[in-house]
Amino acid sequence: MNGIYIFGLIIVSVIVMIIAISKFKQHPFVVLITISILVGVLSGMKVGDVVTKVQTGFGSILSSIGIVIISGTIIGTILEKTGAALTMANTILKIVGKDRSVLTMGITGYITGIPVFCDSGFVILSPISKALAARSKISLSVMGTALSGGLYATHCLVPPTPGPIAMAGTLGANLGLVILVGLLISIPSVAASIIYAKKAASKIYIESNSEDNVDDLMNKYGKLPGALHSFSPILLPIVLIALKSIADFPSAPLGDGALKTFFSFIGTPVIALLLGIFLSMTLLTKVSKDDRLSIMSEGILNSASILAITGAGGSFGEILKSLPIAEILSSSLLQFNIGVFLPFIIAMLLKTAMGASTVSMIVTSSMMLPLMATLGFTSEIQKVLVIMAIGAGAMTVSHANDSYFWVVSQFSNMTPQQAYKCQTGVTLVQGLTTIIIVFILSLIFK
């Protein structure tokens, strides 16, 4: 089956998906599953394989972030119901001021995205995003977009997140140099996301559902929780996941013994978030047992829709990953020598088609490996710039076949149409900003 047909099929499927969800208001779960099956059948897969891949894709994405989503939703519900989210918002606003709350959200994402997977990071930090939006009277779309952009920049450009560290290993790049350059190049990417959030996402008003009436909360709970107690259910998972990243670093800073094993286990997102739940439960000491159960149940119930949509997105991604997209690209784009734009375009097409940033990074770096010498990418800095170009492509763009798209939209109360304007728009701006920076650097460093 020729490449033009495959790419045409993918493009049409994405357009149909957008129209069905946005214009005809069909539920994303039904649309994604239906489109997944149709694309599989029309691409020539055996019917039995199509069903298997739809099920596998649904299960694999939930096996990786399902428990994280449920745990994060429970923590967020507890923080909201006990007034802890309000305490966090008040604390941040006292330090940075209302005028800089969006900047604060972007910077928080930038830092958190270094050790924490972007999906997990957004789930963990969404209570702060909602509370800040409510207290600073800013649309939740602005806060969610800024947070998403901050997390996404370092997720795609800075080890030890899986994609960048895999690319460094594949292309034999100096890991320390990749981290340093990634940290620097991701700064303009985050700045672009903050500007986009303020200029474009602000045109969409989404009211935060965070409880922001101080007097009501004071009457209900007696007094609001302290700042440290309020932040701890969020900070603990972040710190533990960061320690796992340090323990798993190739240089083995914590050795190879029991200490590394301990932090590698306790810093696994599932374990870290479960510990976050237990810590958040200490905020419920003044709540009756029945109310505790009700709050926990509400958190689990709130996660159901997110899980269904995220799983369906995984099904679509699994079908697309089964198509010979990489082979089609290798027979067409690789004949052109357009500098760092070559790895960027390959990664961008793979990302847009398949939805998975990490997969597009790994596949593109593998495709580039045998071509590095031929294309003149031989010095250490050139290897790093190729990695940055691939990371920029892997940002461009996040849409309906990307689980992160649905995590951001659902936790920010965005409709799919609003998410296309905010999440897809900001990732496009970030990707283009990053590749421009990389191109300029490639002209300076040979």
Side-chain angles (χ1 to χ4, degrees):
M1 196 166 289
N2 65 56
I4 296 177
Y5 175 79
I6 292 293
F7 271 107
L9 179 61
I10 294 172
I11 291 170
V12 170
S13 69
V14 171
I15 292 173
V16 170
M17 185 187 308
I18 294 171
I19 293 173
I21 293 172
S22 302
K23 184 175 179 61
F24 293 102
K25 308 300 180 185
Q26 297 301 306
H27 195 280
F29 171 78
V30 177
V31 174
L32 282 163
I33 293 295
T34 303
I35 292 292
S36 300
I37 294 172
L38 290 175
V39 170
V41 172
L42 293 175
S43 65
M45 292 183 193
K46 294 180 180 179
V47 176
D49 291 341
V50 171
V51 175
T52 300
K53 289 187 180 300
V54 167
Q55 293 173 328
T56 300
F58 190 93
S60 63
I61 193 69
L62 291 187
S63 69
S64 62
I65 64 171
I67 296 176
V68 169
I69 288 175
I70 295 172
S71 300
T73 310
I74 292 173
I75 292 172
T77 303
I78 292 175
L79 293 179
E80 184 176 338
K81 296 298 183 182
T82 59
L86 179 58
T87 296
M88 290 188 291
N90 288 337
T91 302
I92 293 173
L93 290 177
K94 284 179 183 177
I95 297 172
V96 304
K98 290 184 179 181
D99 294 338
R100 291 189 288 271
S101 57
V102 180
L103 173 64
T104 301
M105 210 71 257
I107 294 173
T108 302
Y110 168 85
I111 296 170
T112 305
I114 297 171
V116 181
F117 210 73
C118 60
D119 299 69
S120 303
F122 200 92
V123 172
I124 293 169
L125 294 171
S126 62
I128 296 180
S129 176
K130 290 181 178 180
L132 269 179
R135 294 301 290 156
S136 57
K137 307 300 181 185
I138 293 175
S139 172
L140 185 55
S141 64
V142 177
M143 287 298 187
T145 301
L147 174 58
S148 169
L151 287 163
Y152 209 46
T154 46
H155 171 80
C156 292
L157 299 174
V158 184
T161 46
I165 205 168
M167 289 192 292
T170 300
L171 298 178
N174 182 293
L175 191 59
L177 191 59
V178 174
I179 294 172
L180 177 60
V181 175
L183 285 171
L184 293 174
I185 289 180
S186 57
I187 291 174
S189 178
V190 175
S193 71
I194 293 171
I195 293 171
Y196 185 88
K198 289 183 175 181
K199 299 296 184 182
S202 60
K203 295 178 181 179
I204 299 171
Y205 186 75
I206 301 174
E207 186 173 356
S208 173
N209 58 8
S210 183
E211 299 181 51
D212 61 344
N213 189 313
V214 180
D215 293 332
D216 287 349
L217 287 170
M218 292 288 285
N219 293 331
K220 187 174 182 179
Y221 300 110
K223 67 176 182 177
L224 294 177
L228 181 60
H229 196 184
S230 299
F231 277 103
S232 59
I234 290 176
L235 292 178
L236 178 66
I238 292 174
V239 170
L240 292 178
I241 294 170
L243 288 172
K244 171 182 166 57
S245 297
I246 295 171
D248 293 343
F249 224 65
S251 59
L254 300 182
D256 296 314
L259 189 63
K260 177 192 175 187
T261 302
F262 173 75
F263 283 115
S264 293
F265 170 73
I266 203 170
T268 303
V270 169
I271 303 299
L273 266 294
L274 283 174
L275 292 174
I277 289 178
F278 293 135
L279 193 53
S280 69
M281 289 171 65
T282 62
L283 292 163
L284 297 171
T285 52
K286 295 182 180 180
V287 179
S288 68
K289 291 181 179 179
D290 289 340
D291 286 341
R292 287 181 206 172
L293 179 60
S294 176
I295 291 172
M296 300 281 284
S297 298
E298 182 178 337
I300 295 173
L301 185 63
N302 290 340
S303 69
S305 178
I306 303 170
L307 291 172
I309 296 171
T310 302
S315 297
F316 188 45
E318 186 69 21
I319 290 291
L320 295 178
K321 280 188 282 186
S322 303
L323 301 179
I325 298 172
E327 290 81 356
I328 294 168
L329 287 173
S330 64
S331 63
S332 54
L333 281 177
L334 293 182
Q335 60 185 301
F336 301 106
N337 185 2
I338 49 178
V340 291
F341 285 105
L342 176 62
F344 168 78
I345 292 172
I346 295 173
M348 178 188 68
L349 292 173
L350 288 173
K351 162 64 180 177
T352 304
M354 295 190 296
S357 294
T358 302
V359 173
S360 67
M361 285 187 252
I362 293 171
V363 172
T364 305
S365 60
S366 299
M367 292 169 66
M368 289 299 299
L369 178 60
L371 300 165
M372 294 292 283
T374 303
L375 297 174
F377 300 131
T378 53
S379 69
E380 285 299 328
I381 188 63
Q382 286 172 330
K383 291 178 183 177
V384 173
L385 290 178
V386 169
I387 289 172
M388 295 298 110
I390 297 172
M395 293 180 184
T396 322
V397 290
S398 173
H399 65 100
N401 62 358
D402 180 10
S403 63
Y404 190 47
F405 175 90
W406 296 111
V407 169
V408 172
S409 65
Q410 296 300 297
F411 278 90
S412 299
N413 301 340
M414 296 178 187
T415 65
Q417 189 172 11
Q418 291 170 335
Y420 275 110
K421 294 178 181 177
C422 295
Q423 174 66 1
T424 304
V426 76
T427 53
L428 174 62
V429 169
Q430 284 188 277
L432 294 177
T433 300
T434 303
I435 191 55
I436 290 171
I437 299 294
V438 172
F439 173 67
I440 293 171
L441 292 176
S442 72
L443 298 177
I444 299 172
F445 300 101
K446 300 293 186 180

